[in-house]
């Protein structure tokens, strides 16, 4: 469960964050995506942030970096 003391481990588009969040959750990381900001009119990409508990931050970052380094 992500608490108020959660750590931001990734920011990007909402699509990127939702995809990475699914991967993190599947590997036992308690990740949560929060929208950073929405663009007026909803025509542009929504920015989002992934948060995890502090004790899972290192593992989450390693998994994210591994996933993003693959073609």
């Amino acid at each position: 469960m992500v608490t108020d003391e959660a750590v931001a481990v990734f920011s990007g588009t909402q699509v990127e964050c939702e995809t990475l969040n699914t991967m993190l959750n599947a590997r036992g990381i308690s990740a949560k995506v929060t929208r950073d900001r929405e663009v007026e009119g909803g025509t542009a990409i929504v920015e989002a942030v992934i948060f995890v508990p502090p004790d899972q931050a290192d593992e989450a970052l390693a998994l994210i970096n591994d996933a993003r380094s693959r073609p």
Side-chain angles (χ1 to χ4, degrees), residues 7-38:
V7 176
V9 293
F10 182 80
S11 64
T13 66
Q14 185 164 358
V15 172
E16 288 175 305
C17 287
E18 293 292 347
T19 301
L20 291 169
N21 182 60
T22 299
M23 182 265 303
L24 292 172
N25 285 313
R27 290 185 167 81
I29 305 281
S30 299
K32 179 180 178 187
V33 174
T34 303
R35 287 182 177 180
D36 186 29
R37 58 185 148 175
E38 262 188 81

Side-chain angles (χ1 to χ4, degrees), residues 37-49:
R37 58 185 148 175
E38 262 188 81
V39 178
E40 187 176 324
T43 58
I45 297 171
V46 176
E47 294 182 12
V49 180

Side-chain angles (χ1 to χ4, degrees), residues 66-71:
D66 183 54
R68 296 193 75 224
S69 69
R70 297 178 186 201

